[in-house]
Amino acid sequence: MHAKSLLHHLIDSAANRDPEAIAVTSGSIRASYGELQTATARFGAGLVGLGLARGERVAIYLDKRLEFVVAAFGTSAAGGVFVPVNPILKTEQVGHILRDCNVRVLVTSAERLAALGDGLAGCHDLRQVVLIGAPAERPTVQGATVHLWDELTSAPPAAGHRTIDADMAAILYTSGSTGRPKGVVLSHRNMMAGARSVAHYLGNHAGDTLLAALPLSFDAGLSQLTTAFQASARVVLLNWLLPRDVLKAIERERVTGLTAVPPLWIQLAQL
């Protein structure tokens, strides 16, 4: 099988080439490819330890941060399917997504979990909740067990389920502007072909810095991660409020690549 046939192999290949190279910058956090490879493997082992079966869904309801990246690629390493949930969605929409694709594990923050309130009540398949950070006290979720990120990622090493490139890697949900969000299924082969194609036609290389300004729940947003890792480049995660924040990040981080949607390009051009 091709050395880079599964999604998490992107990180493994880049780490094997240069483990010291920076993979992800998020605020003041800088994670090398070697560190990202270790964190991804640990998260994957943690999921296997929770009993995640092959192809079961792991929803990630977080803003752009290192844990999002680790959870997404760690789910791939475990043999699961990750479901990025747009952080601006309201409780009812989040609940719909979790029910619609039978989410088994939810990765989120204590604040976001509290805001969901009763929204998880009808999510019958949800069995495990993983919280990032260190909440003052561990919340309870009916029908599910709540784990802390640090506990999960200190699990003993464990091999993920055997998967092939035709297996499902992720389910991305449409914006839901014309009805309820619909899940779009992507295989490992889909995502790897996309990463290779984009990195090739843009001529991305290891010296590049890509800015992840779009939501990671959006295909073009998530593609910033896969394209960067395919090229062994660096990706900068940015949660922004104003277009000026994007310009400042481009200058501060010496960004060489930016993907945006027309409204943002218009705002940037006006600045």
Side-chain angles (χ1 to χ4, degrees):
M1 187 176 279
H2 190 276
K4 281 201 290 191
S5 60
L6 303 177
L7 192 63
H8 57 284
H9 292 164
L10 287 172
I11 294 172
D12 294 340
S13 298
N16 292 342
R17 278 194 294 272
D18 185 359
E20 300 300 318
I22 299 299
V24 179
T25 298
S26 178
S28 60
I29 297 170
R30 292 164 70 83
S32 70
Y33 273 102
E35 290 166 336
L36 188 58
Q37 181 184 38
T38 299
T40 298
R42 282 184 176 160
F43 185 84
L47 289 179
V48 171
L50 292 184
L52 186 81
R54 179 174 176 264
E56 285 189 328
R57 330 288 192 239
V58 178
I60 310 170
Y61 184 47
L62 291 170
D63 58 358
K64 294 191 207 85
R65 53 193 303 149
L66 182 61
E67 289 91 345
F68 182 106
V69 181
V70 171
F73 288 81
T75 297
S76 169
V81 176
F82 74 92
V83 184
V85 180
N86 193 325
I88 66 168
L89 291 184
K90 302 292 184 280
T91 298
E92 198 264 334
Q93 294 168 302
V94 175
H96 163 69
I97 290 173
L98 301 190
R99 291 188 299 273
D100 186 60
C101 69
N102 314 95
V103 163
R104 182 68 75 186
V105 179
L106 170 64
V107 182
T108 190
S109 64
E111 299 77 25
R112 287 183 178 278
L113 181 65
L116 287 175
D118 302 334
L120 299 178
C123 302
H124 301 300
D125 295 289
L126 185 64
R127 292 286 176 272
Q128 319 283 349
V129 175
V130 179
L131 293 184
I132 62 168
E137 55 184 80
R138 193 177 304 235
T140 56
V141 176
Q142 190 178 352
T145 310
V146 177
H147 309 268
L148 301 184
W149 178 274
D150 290 347
E151 296 168 350
L152 187 81
T153 53
S154 58
H161 300 289
R162 187 178 179 278
T163 46
I164 59 171
D165 63 358
D167 286 332
M168 204 184 331
I171 303 175
L172 302 190
Y173 274 79
T174 59
S175 62
S177 52
T178 55
R180 287 200 145 177
K182 296 171 188 67
V184 179
V185 173
L186 296 172
S187 68
H188 287 273
R189 190 185 297 160
N190 288 149
M191 300 191 78
M192 297 296 278
R196 280 194 288 269
S197 168
V198 175
H200 177 72
Y201 76 68
L202 290 178
N204 287 126
H205 55 79
D208 275 327
T209 293
L210 306 186
L211 183 65
L214 298 175
L216 299 176
S217 55
F218 176 48
D219 57 351
L222 187 61
S223 163
Q224 302 315 293
L225 300 181
T226 57
T227 304
F229 298 162
Q230 165 71 28
S232 301
R234 176 173 75 113
V235 65
V236 176
L237 305 179
L238 180 68
N239 297 296
W240 57 278
L241 286 173
L242 303 169
R244 191 168 296 284
D245 300 335
V246 177
L247 281 187
K248 285 178 180 168
I250 290 170
E251 194 174 13
R252 181 179 68 246
E253 300 291 348
R254 306 176 75 91
V255 167
T256 59
L258 171 67
T259 296
V261 289
L264 177 56
W265 282 123
I266 291 167
Q267 291 174 305
L268 292 176
Q270 288 168 345
L271 290 172

